[in-house]
Amino acid sequence: LWIGTWDTRGISRMNVQTKKCKRYLPGTTVGAILKDSKGELWVGPENIYKYDKLNDTFALYTVGGVPVTINEMKSMIIDNDDNLWIFSVSGIIRINPAKYQYIIYVKQNGFTAEDDPYVSATLLRNGKSFVGEWAGSYTFDPNKFRIPKGRQQLAFNHFYINGRLIEPGPNSPLSTFLK
């Protein structure tokens, strides 16, 4: 039995026979715990973690060595193709773990989760998602989402080289923040 906490106590696994718990990710708020069709366990607080059964630990999920940063995760679902859909103040983020790809859908794409303090999402049997927010609810079909065509705005939240965060400074390749 996996138990997530909202008060920075991480996630715990309880052995239901012995009633003993083992804690993982201390100091982390856990907003979602999901298992995909392959039995892989995904945990989402400010970053995405995948449970490593062999080492009995959680590994930070990265794309090209860079963590996928989530600002205030509200809810997470896994669709029928094992894509993770994360609802957060950053927007709605679709992660394809098999291809190490992700895309962020923001307010300009029609989503309002970033403005909402409470968001809950679930995947329906027909493959569509039902999303409840403070201001109402809606459904969408994850299979019909497409990468927007045409020129897109690019926003840099963080800049990494070889997995190391790069910030402007005298010994940095950047003299100012990227815009």
Side-chain angles (χ1 to χ4, degrees):
L1 175 65
W2 291 97
I3 305 163
T5 64
W6 198 254
D7 60 357
T8 69
R9 292 188 187 161
I11 182 171
S12 296
R13 182 178 60 198
M14 176 190 258
N15 181 317
V16 292
Q17 279 80 35
T18 65
K19 308 287 190 254
K20 295 193 181 203
C21 289
K22 179 175 180 182
R23 186 173 295 173
Y24 304 81
L25 302 174
T28 304
T29 295
V30 175
I33 306 168
L34 294 172
K35 202 177 264 191
D36 66 19
S37 67
K38 298 177 196 91
E40 302 287 352
L41 188 69
W42 296 89
V43 173
E46 293 81 30
N47 295 298
I48 300 297
Y49 293 87
K50 182 178 172 184
Y51 180 64
D52 178 350
K53 293 176 191 172
L54 184 64
N55 296 308
D56 190 29
T57 188
F58 281 88
L60 181 63
Y61 177 78
T62 63
V63 174
V66 178
V68 179
T69 302
I70 311 297
N71 294 325
E72 289 185 46
M73 178 186 289
K74 314 256 183 188
S75 189
M76 180 170 69
I77 61 170
I78 298 177
D79 68 19
N80 294 333
D81 295 323
D82 283 338
N83 292 304
L84 304 174
W85 290 84
I86 297 160
F87 300 81
S88 75
V89 296
S90 303
I92 298 177
I93 303 161
R94 182 186 71 193
I95 299 174
N96 181 329
K99 293 183 179 179
Y100 293 95
Q101 297 174 337
Y102 70 97
I103 187 167
I104 302 172
Y105 298 94
V106 294
K107 194 172 190 175
Q108 291 83 348
N109 299 112
F111 294 106
T112 60
E114 58 202 47
D115 297 329
D116 204 319
Y118 308 104
V119 177
S120 184
T122 190
L123 189 69
L124 304 173
R125 287 188 182 121
N126 65 5
K128 293 182 180 179
S129 176
F130 181 80
V131 182
E133 297 181 355
W134 185 267
S137 61
Y138 57 89
T139 62
F140 73 90
D141 188 341
N143 294 317
K144 293 187 179 178
F145 268 71
R146 301 289 177 250
I147 296 174
K149 290 184 168 70
R151 190 172 179 192
Q152 299 299 311
Q153 181 179 1
L154 181 62
F156 290 95
N157 291 332
H158 304 291
F159 183 67
Y160 290 83
I161 296 178
N162 292 328
R164 198 176 105 239
L165 178 63
I166 304 299
E167 293 183 342
N171 297 323
S172 172
L174 298 177
S175 58
T176 62
F177 284 100
L178 297 173
K179 295 179 184 181

